[in-house]
């Protein structure tokens, strides 16, 4: 079983609800989970040889929420290459906007550029279609947790 850090970017709490659901499911699978609502570079670095799950909503024109923006900037500007990192992304957004799930896609692009290894595909959650993103994400989280093993 893996040690997984869940880093959350949220505005209204939907991404946090998905993170709490992910924590329950992944712990039931035997993984060790810690959730970071205000994740910092040092916390991220403690998972470089483990697994990270980024769960973030999208704001404005496809931007990251304020609570995860500093972490993203630190990864981009200070950390750089991280080829040992294995990760997953759950991106929340509104399908009626041009930059649908832009926050999660932006985070994924950065991690790909830095050599990290994505486990599975990105889960895109459309707020227009899904009133309860934490319920919608359950099957993906279960499958992802099995891929991590």
């Amino acid at each position: 079983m893996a040690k997984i850090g869940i880093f959350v970017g949220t505005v209204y709490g939907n991404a946090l609800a998905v993170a709490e659901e992910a924590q329950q499911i992944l712990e039931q699978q035997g993984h060790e989970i810690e959730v970071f609502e205000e994740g910092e570079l040092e916390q991220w670095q403690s998972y470089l040889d483990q697994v990270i799950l980024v769960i973030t909503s999208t704001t404005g024109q496809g931007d990251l929420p304020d609570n995860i923006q500093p972490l993203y900037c630190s990864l981009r500007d200070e950390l750089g290459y991280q080829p040992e990192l294995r990760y997953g992304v759950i991106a929340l957004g509104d399908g009626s906007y041009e930059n649908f799930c832009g926050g999660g896609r932006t985070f994924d692009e950065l991690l790909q550029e830095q050599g990290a290894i994505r486990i599975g595909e990105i889960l895109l959650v459309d707020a227009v279609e899904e009133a309860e993103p934490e319920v919608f994400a359950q099957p993906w989280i279960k499958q992802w947790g099995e891929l991590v093993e």
Side-chain angles (χ1 to χ4, degrees), residues 77-97:
D77 300 339
E78 298 172 41
L79 190 56
Y81 196 55
Q82 42 185 332
E84 288 82 36
L85 177 65
R86 298 182 310 140
Y87 75 97
V89 175
I90 298 177
L92 288 78
D94 183 326
S96 66
Y97 285 86

Side-chain angles (χ1 to χ4, degrees), residues 6-67:
I6 301 178
F7 290 81
V8 182
T10 192
V11 178
Y12 299 112
N14 288 333
L16 183 58
V18 174
E20 290 168 349
E21 187 68 26
Q23 181 177 18
Q24 285 186 351
I25 291 169
L26 295 170
E27 285 177 345
Q28 288 171 355
Q29 292 178 332
H31 299 293
E32 181 183 332
I33 309 299
E34 189 168 1
V35 176
F36 300 94
E37 288 181 60
E38 299 282 337
E40 297 179 359
L41 184 58
E42 297 77 30
Q43 294 164 325
W44 182 279
Q45 288 174 306
S46 71
Y47 284 90
L48 286 179
D49 59 349
Q50 304 292 330
V51 180
I52 286 177
L53 178 58
V54 175
I55 302 176
T56 185
S57 56
T58 302
T59 66
Q61 299 300 312
D63 301 321
L64 288 162
D66 290 344
N67 73 310

